[in-house]
Amino acid sequence: METVIDVAGLTKTYGTVRALDGLTLSIPRGGVYGVLGPNGAGKSTLFRILLGLIRPSEGTARVLGGDIGDVAAMRRMGSMIETPRFPPFLSARQVLQWLAQAHGMGGSAQIDHWLDRVGLAEAADRRVRGFSVGMMQRLGVAAALMTRPDLVILDEPTSGMDPPGIQEMRALIRSLAADDGVTVILASHQLLEVQRVCDRVAILNKGRLVREGTVSDLMSDGEQLVLKVGPVDTALAILGARASLSGDGVRVAATRAEGPGLIRLLVQGGVDIHEARWVGTDLEGVFFTETGAVRAPEVDHAG
Amino acid sequence: MLADAIRAETWRLVHNRTTVFWSALFLPVIGVVMAVIGNTVMKSGAARMTVQGDVPPQLAQMLTGGPVRVIEEIISSVGEMANPAVLLFMLIGAAALYSGDYRWETWRLISARNSRTNLILGKVATLGLLALAAMIALLAGEIAEVFIKAMVLERPVSWAVDANAAGRFAALFGLSWLAIMQFTLVALLAAVTTRSLLAAMFVPIVVGAVQTLSPQGLAAMGIEPDAWIAVLINPGLGFSLLQAWVSGASGLPDQAVMKALATVGLWLVWPLAAALALFQRQDLSKE
């Protein structure tokens, strides 16, 4: 499998803080790859290292077959990390013109095309100092894509955008991967968006990789057996640590092969089974499980 | 790739009209305005004194001292172009160029696709072009001031030129440009070290002030003003010696010229080398 990014034992320390802790990860060419993690997981640190903005404390990283700092390889990559910032005295069009000069693109930049594609055609000649956060994000995406890269890293591309903007960005990301053959690496806290857009994801926590795989595999691995039983305490005692009580019954982390055996165990233990069903989990469920974060209870607004 | 960096920096600077105006155009414009006002005031003052029969000798000389020697006045002004006022306003451009990407957090847009050396050299080259533009604007302003003086004071204009005027003009122009570049390279080092626009503005001023006062301090320690250490820490002294040398001053010992060249070379090279070395290893994102 051809890879666009290979990271081995990557560590970055700031004083006593280990922002990355021996991260090893390979990202395949093609499609949309999500990088998830709570705040402080190391996502931004990883991207900064890949872009050559900071140096790792230990480990190696290769991008598009070249070491970090290999300008020929880096020139095939586009990026938008953190909140995009631009010289405030330039207009959106001028920002892209300036970057076209910096990237040696001359007249091949197709600036109007990219401004139109990110929805900034009407604001092209406005100075960026008056832009909203969403508009800055759009311009940042245009700047990242203008060079027609083979690989693009987008960090929270929909941050600050309204729902139509989010939908447009989602469509743009999918079309980049599907139609233009660009490998997109996407970091986002919008887990539903990631679930819809990404083919594979990596989940980071405390600077380490905790889970990696296709979205569908991650979600099917998280299937649970939901039982309405009585008495509940007896059932929990029989099932042990793999079971927990939730609003819709007793949830048991188990495979389908284990299901019949667990039910037999409960019946033999004197537990009545009123209902048994399998439920899948969403990416958010996988995220909370892998990062150990506590999922807030759903609020029923129906009263 | 260096060409890309120069092209991009120059393009961006040209569109930063505020910086360009204050760095390169403000002083020439003010100079012309002051020439009009100053010469007019001087002439009307002299007219009053003439009626009273009481004109000071210096004023009389300015009013009636023969033709205005255009070429000589221009060559003289070129030799003084790296004066404190010009250096101060050039710092505005230097600070914007050298610390702008830190201030606007725009390194991430350009640093992945070009070498760090090219990025810094692109900025230095652009500052060189800005300094050149400022000097040309000052020259145009000086020419205008000379003609304003001749017109207002009703003195004839002389285009007399001596044999080596072109050589002196070129040498003094080059030395003034190098002096501006040397002063603003300290701003580069300050900007890269501190990532601060204010430091890029004020550190060169402080360094320059210390260098200007250094002869007195060193004299108090018993160090002669023409000693190696005295010259090496004061590039301004080096530039003055070289200007005197190209202007044909007699009696300058060869060793003085050598020391001057050494200090000018040292202060052109070491701030740039230090800035490049620091920038190569620098983390370019805020944490």
Side-chain angles (χ1 to χ4, degrees), chain A residues 58-116:
Chain A
E58 292 171 34
T60 60
R62 291 178 67 79
V63 177
L64 294 168
D67 292 324
I68 301 299
D70 179 343
V71 176
M74 305 291 269
R75 284 172 84 95
R76 293 164 52 210
M77 184 167 72
S79 66
M80 185 193 74
I81 65 168
E82 302 166 357
T83 306
R85 301 288 297 272
F86 307 103
F89 52 87
L90 296 179
S91 67
R93 189 191 308 282
Q94 288 172 337
V95 164
L96 297 186
Q97 287 172 335
W98 161 57
L99 290 173
Q101 305 266 357
H103 302 330
M105 297 180 69
S108 65
Q110 296 184 298
I111 287 169
D112 288 332
H113 162 77
W114 288 108
L115 286 170
D116 185 55

Side-chain angles (χ1 to χ4, degrees), chain B residues 1 6 18 23 30 61 79 81 93 102 116 150 162 166-168 194 204 219 255 263 272 281:
Chain B
M1 300 257 283
I6 294 172
T18 306
S23 301
I30 284 295
Q61 173 65 23
M81 263 184 191
Y102 292 107
R116 292 198 181 192
D162 61 34
R168 275 193 299 131
T194 64
Q255 211 187 35
T263 188
L272 177 59
R281 303 199 57 78

Side-chain angles (χ1 to χ4, degrees), chain A residues 14 48 52-55 71 74-75 77 81-83 85 88-89 94 97-98 101-104 147, chain B residues 1 4 7-8 11-12 15-16 104-106 108-109 111-113 116 280-281 283-287:
Chain A
Y14 294 98
R48 288 173 192 159
L53 292 173
I54 61 177
R55 294 172 192 276
V71 176
M74 305 291 269
R75 284 172 84 95
M77 184 167 72
I81 65 168
E82 302 166 357
T83 306
R85 301 288 297 272
F89 52 87
Q94 288 172 337
Q97 287 172 335
W98 161 57
Q101 305 266 357
H103 302 330
T147 57
Chain B
M1 300 257 283
D4 293 339
R7 206 176 295 125
W11 192 96
R12 182 168 59 169
H15 287 80
N16 190 349
W104 303 316
E105 297 178 53
T106 45
R108 69 188 81 154
L109 296 174
S111 62
R113 299 170 68 89
R116 292 198 181 192
Q280 285 292 350
R281 303 199 57 78
D283 281 0
L284 287 183
S285 60
K286 276 187 174 181
E287 287 296 331

Side-chain angles (χ1 to χ4, degrees), chain A residues 1-7 25-30 33 62-66 76 151 183 185 200 212:
Chain A
M1 179 177 62
E2 191 183 357
T3 56
V4 292
I5 286 178
D6 292 286
V7 162
L25 176 66
S26 289
I27 297 178
R29 178 181 293 280
Y33 192 97
R62 291 178 67 79
V63 177
L64 294 168
R76 293 164 52 210
L151 166 68
T183 304
I185 297 174
R200 297 182 72 92
E212 198 273 345

Side-chain angles (χ1 to χ4, degrees), chain A residues 8-27:
Chain A
L10 204 63
T11 299
K12 179 66 180 179
T13 54
Y14 294 98
T16 57
V17 175
R18 287 173 87 84
L20 286 179
D21 189 5
L23 178 69
T24 296
L25 176 66
S26 289
I27 297 178

Side-chain angles (χ1 to χ4, degrees), chain A residues 7-303:
Chain A
V7 162
L10 204 63
T11 299
K12 179 66 180 179
T13 54
Y14 294 98
T16 57
V17 175
R18 287 173 87 84
L20 286 179
D21 189 5
L23 178 69
T24 296
L25 176 66
S26 289
I27 297 178
R29 178 181 293 280
V32 184
Y33 192 97
V35 177
L36 309 179
N39 293 337
K43 304 185 299 296
S44 293
T45 303
L46 171 63
F47 295 154
R48 288 173 192 159
I49 290 174
L50 294 176
L51 290 170
L53 292 173
I54 61 177
R55 294 172 192 276
S57 305
E58 292 171 34
T60 60
R62 291 178 67 79
V63 177
L64 294 168
D67 292 324
I68 301 299
D70 179 343
V71 176
M74 305 291 269
R75 284 172 84 95
R76 293 164 52 210
M77 184 167 72
S79 66
M80 185 193 74
I81 65 168
E82 302 166 357
T83 306
R85 301 288 297 272
F86 307 103
F89 52 87
L90 296 179
S91 67
R93 189 191 308 282
Q94 288 172 337
V95 164
L96 297 186
Q97 287 172 335
W98 161 57
L99 290 173
Q101 305 266 357
H103 302 330
M105 297 180 69
S108 65
Q110 296 184 298
I111 287 169
D112 288 332
H113 162 77
W114 288 108
L115 286 170
D116 185 55
R117 201 157 172 197
V118 298
L120 282 178
E122 290 187 10
D125 295 310
R126 280 174 48 189
R127 290 198 182 178
V128 297
R129 66 161 56 99
F131 273 19
S132 66
V133 171
M135 293 168 81
M136 296 285 254
Q137 295 285 125
R138 290 169 186 265
L139 184 56
V141 171
L145 300 178
M146 181 177 73
T147 57
R148 298 200 176 272
D150 295 329
L151 166 68
V152 65
I153 297 176
L154 299 175
D155 188 1
E156 303 283 355
T158 58
S159 174
M161 284 192 184
D162 53 19
I166 292 173
Q167 197 173 44
E168 287 166 19
M169 192 56 58
R170 190 193 316 149
L172 173 62
I173 291 170
R174 287 303 313 172
S175 98
L176 280 174
D179 304 331
D180 299 330
V182 177
T183 304
V184 180
I185 297 174
L186 173 68
S188 177
H189 288 306
Q190 307 290 335
L191 297 180
L192 188 57
E193 292 303 310
V194 173
Q195 185 175 314
R196 285 174 175 170
V197 170
C198 293
D199 305 300
R200 297 182 72 92
V201 297
I203 301 176
L204 306 186
N205 193 24
K206 296 179 182 172
R208 296 181 179 178
L209 177 68
V210 294
R211 196 74 187 277
E212 198 273 345
T214 65
V215 171
S216 55
D217 284 347
L218 259 60
M219 285 166 56
S220 65
D221 284 352
E223 267 190 328
Q224 292 182 320
L225 179 62
V226 179
L227 303 166
K228 285 198 191 315
V229 297
V232 170
D233 291 343
T234 308
L236 289 172
I238 292 171
L239 294 168
R242 64 162 69 183
S244 60
L245 186 62
S246 72
D248 54 357
V250 173
R251 283 186 170 239
V252 186
T255 63
R256 295 219 173 199
E258 293 172 320
L262 289 172
I263 290 175
R264 197 177 308 118
L265 208 60
L266 287 169
V267 169
Q268 288 171 354
V271 174
D272 295 325
I273 311 290
H274 304 296
E275 184 181 315
R277 60 189 168 93
W278 288 98
V279 298
T281 187
D282 54 11
L283 194 59
E284 190 175 272
V286 176
F287 178 89
F288 279 101
T289 300
E290 295 298 340
T291 61
V294 176
R295 194 172 191 170
E298 298 284 339
V299 177
D300 183 1
H301 290 284

